[in-house]
């Protein structure tokens, strides 16, 4: 597998931005080491271009007729290698060269087949979803069950002008596409990958626990009433070091506090494996109210008795450290132990001189981050993607800032989900 060509640009006129990205794509496709015959395009646009979504897809499809399949969505921000575009008109495109039997575009008009289907068996999937879709978390869980690994990745579209998704297949391998235009609203869409498509994915958390884990011993719908057999409200007040006797101070503290939930089934990656950080299957949810009558805490989820709960808060330093960790894990696992002098020099080049290199064994990457993260959370414009580049290396990358992040069978918040396509040995 060769490097995936990618391009990105910002401009008030979408035609100019698309033309600039197209020039980057064509230049890379002519270079040695880059894929010259890709067939799958991933397209992400900011919500400034929502009204022109169909025009953009039609233009790119006409200019790149070799790309038979398209997938993507919209975000209040989008990402590419070393750069973020927030609150400005921009788009990013990556062209993936994969065997046609190794992936399948799906959407509402062409759903993913169940596990065990004879014509295509999904191992994992890139999922884009509309947050306004009823029971979207349950649909994501069901989607994961349709894959052999039980793992999907992606995010919820985020937009101030209506959420759109791209899902188009032109090579005839998707029955039911019909006259669909390729631009959808509502539901789920994306790309499913067979087991032969080599991918690695990691979740990076953006919150830090401020209490020990408690066991939920009683709850009613979305209200947690008991933790470790005690009043949930009293436990929270004690953990946060505040009291309802001083309501203003207590409420100010509660407003900045969230909860981290995980199932109590003893999964290894569910433990808080590193001091002061969450494991990958902890999901962070808002506290949406207090219930003094029942001494309860209302949260933006429906927990179950036996689940583990820890109070937490957003923390830029913890988020930065965890982001560096997941990037380093992927990089160290993929880079060969022995390389030629030429390759070593290329991989150790300064940031200004570096360029994607096949020796990293990463053909391309997709990064989906929370819309509440990005440069502002990390201290400067494009800071989050600059951290990714320094820690992961210079690789083709596109992505978007989501209204909720998808990994495994969970819908996360305040996280980043990094997925890479690995090259052949």
């Amino acid at each position: 597998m060769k490097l995936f060509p990618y391009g990105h640009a910002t401009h008030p006129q979408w035609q100019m931005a698309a033309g600039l990205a197209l020039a980057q794509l064509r230049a890379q496709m002519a270079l040695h080491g880059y894929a010259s015959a890709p067939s799958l395009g991933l397209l992400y646009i900011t919500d400034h271009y929502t009204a022109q979504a169909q025009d953009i897809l039609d233009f790119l499809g006409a200019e790149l007729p070799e790309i038979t399949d398209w997938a993507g969505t919209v975000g209040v921000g989008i990402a590419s290698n070393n750069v973020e575009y927030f609150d400005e008109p921009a788009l990013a495109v990556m062209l993936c060269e994969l065997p046609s039997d190794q992936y399948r575009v799906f959407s509402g008009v062409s759903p993913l087949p169940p596990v065990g289907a004879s014509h295509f068996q999904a191992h994992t999937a890139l999922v884009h979803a509309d947050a306004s879709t009823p029971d979207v978390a349950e649909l994501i869980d069901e989607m994961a069950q349709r894959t052999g690994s039980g793992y999907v990745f992606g995010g919820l579209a985020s937009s101030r002008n209506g959420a759109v998704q791209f899902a188009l297949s032109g090579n005839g391998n998707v029955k039911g596409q019909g006259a669909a235009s390729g631009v959808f609203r509502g539901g789920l869409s994306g790309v499913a990958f067979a087991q032969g498509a080599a991918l690695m994915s990691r979740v990076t958390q953006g919150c830090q626990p401020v209490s020990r884990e408690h066991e939920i011993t009683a709850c009613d719908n979305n209200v947690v009433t008991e933790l470790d057999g005690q009043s949930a409200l009293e436990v929270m007040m004690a953990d946060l070091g505040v009291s309802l006797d001083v309501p203003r101070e207590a409420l100010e503290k509660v407003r900045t506090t969230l909860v981290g939930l995980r199932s109590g089934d003893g999964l290894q990656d569910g433990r808080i494996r590193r001091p002061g950080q969450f494991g990958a299957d902890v999901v962070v949810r808002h506290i949406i109210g207090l219930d003094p009558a029942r001494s309860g805490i209302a949260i933006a989820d429906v927990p179950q008795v036996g689940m583990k709960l820890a109070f937490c808060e957003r923390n830029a330093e913890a988020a930065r450290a965890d982001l560096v960790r997941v990037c380093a894990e992927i990089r160290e696992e993929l880079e060969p132990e022995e390389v030629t002098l030429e390759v070593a020099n290329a991989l150790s080049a300064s940031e200004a001189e570096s360029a994607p290199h096949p020796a990293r064994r990463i053909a391309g990457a997709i990064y989906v981050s929370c819309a509440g993260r990005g440069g502002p959370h990390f201290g400067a414009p494009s800071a989050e993607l600059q951290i990714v580049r320094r820690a992961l290396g210079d690789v083709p990358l596109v992505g978007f800032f989501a209204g909720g992040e998808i990994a495994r069978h969970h819908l996360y918040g305040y996280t980043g989900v990094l997925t890479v396509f690995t090259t052949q040995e």
Side-chain angles (χ1 to χ4, degrees):
M1 190 184 298
K2 295 184 176 181
L3 295 169
F4 293 163
Y6 71 107
H8 53 93
T10 176
H11 197 278
Q13 298 178 11
W14 71 262
Q15 297 93 335
M16 291 296 295
L20 290 167
L22 191 62
Q24 297 168 51
L25 294 168
R26 286 172 170 162
Q28 291 172 16
M29 290 170 69
L31 293 176
H32 175 71
Y34 279 86
S36 58
S39 58
L40 170 65
L42 300 179
L43 169 62
Y44 296 106
I45 63 173
T46 62
D47 57 357
H48 287 70
Y49 287 155
T50 301
Q52 293 80 41
Q54 188 66 60
D55 293 334
I56 293 171
L57 182 61
D58 290 344
F59 173 81
L60 291 173
E63 292 292 323
L64 297 166
E66 65 271 36
I67 306 301
T68 57
D69 304 274
W70 290 93
T73 191
V74 62
V76 293
I78 62 170
S80 193
N81 182 14
N82 210 41
V83 66
E84 303 163 15
Y85 298 101
F86 266 100
D87 200 24
E88 58 184 320
L91 56 83
V93 185
M94 186 164 70
L95 306 181
C96 311
E97 187 174 76
L98 299 167
S100 60
D101 61 350
Q102 292 294 304
Y103 71 90
R104 170 174 171 169
V105 174
F106 63 89
S107 66
V109 300
S110 181
L112 195 62
V115 173
S118 58
H119 53 291
F120 180 83
Q121 296 188 21
H123 183 67
T124 186
L126 167 62
V127 178
H128 305 123
D130 189 328
S132 65
T133 301
D135 302 320
V136 66
E138 289 76 8
L139 292 175
I140 291 167
D141 183 57
E142 181 186 349
M143 180 65 66
Q145 294 176 28
R146 288 175 174 262
T147 68
S149 66
Y151 188 107
V152 295
F153 60 95
L156 304 184
S158 61
S159 174
R160 294 159 293 193
N161 304 313
V164 296
Q165 300 168 51
F166 301 106
L168 181 66
S169 180
N171 62 5
N173 69 337
V174 178
K175 183 179 179 181
Q177 187 73 52
S181 65
V183 176
F184 294 86
R185 295 178 183 269
L188 276 61
S189 67
V191 188
F193 301 96
Q195 191 164 7
L199 294 100
M200 294 176 61
S201 190
R202 296 287 190 278
V203 178
T204 174
Q205 295 278 11
C207 293
Q208 184 177 44
V210 296
S211 77
R212 67 178 181 85
E213 275 192 333
H214 302 284
E215 182 176 346
I216 298 175
T217 48
C219 55
D220 181 11
N221 196 17
N222 69 323
V223 179
V224 178
T225 55
E226 285 188 7
L227 293 171
D228 303 327
Q230 303 176 51
S231 158
L233 190 55
E234 291 179 4
V235 170
M236 181 179 72
M237 291 296 143
D239 282 351
L240 301 184
V242 294
S243 170
L244 287 178
D245 294 334
V246 189
R248 177 171 295 183
E249 178 185 343
L251 290 176
E252 286 179 358
K253 184 65 175 177
V254 170
R255 286 192 186 102
T256 63
T257 302
L258 304 102
V259 297
L261 296 171
R262 72 175 181 89
S263 60
D265 55 11
L267 290 172
Q268 289 299 314
D269 64 350
R271 302 295 182 186
I272 299 177
R273 297 170 296 172
R274 300 166 303 283
Q277 294 186 11
F278 281 136
D281 62 350
V282 172
V283 294
V284 174
R285 295 292 185 260
H286 285 283
I287 295 174
I288 59 176
L290 305 180
D291 188 341
R294 290 184 287 178
S295 291
I297 307 162
I299 64 175
D301 206 327
V302 182
Q304 303 292 325
V305 170
M307 293 180 74
K308 306 298 183 181
L309 180 151
F311 298 104
C312 60
E313 62 185 11
R314 297 184 67 192
N315 184 284
E317 288 300 320
R320 184 180 293 108
D322 201 51
L323 180 56
V324 170
R325 176 189 64 83
V326 298
C327 292
E329 282 182 2
I330 291 175
R331 182 171 182 166
E332 290 170 6
E333 185 169 342
L334 291 177
E335 286 189 358
E337 295 182 5
E338 296 183 4
V339 296
T340 65
L341 180 60
E342 178 187 1
V343 170
N345 289 335
L347 295 184
S348 62
S350 69
E351 190 166 315
E353 298 173 332
S354 65
H357 199 287
R360 289 196 174 90
R361 296 181 55 209
I362 298 176
I366 301 169
Y367 187 56
V368 180
S369 186
C370 176
R373 286 166 58 106
H377 183 58
F378 288 89
S382 297
E384 184 172 8
L385 269 296
Q386 290 170 2
I387 293 170
V388 172
R389 179 176 177 176
R390 285 194 295 268
L392 184 65
D394 200 8
V395 300
L397 182 149
V398 296
F400 71 108
F401 290 87
E405 305 77 62
I406 298 168
R408 302 177 73 223
H409 58 283
H410 295 309
L411 180 60
Y412 287 84
Y414 303 111
T415 63
V417 181
L418 175 64
T419 305
V420 302
F421 295 85
T422 64
T423 59
Q424 301 292 333
E425 293 283 355

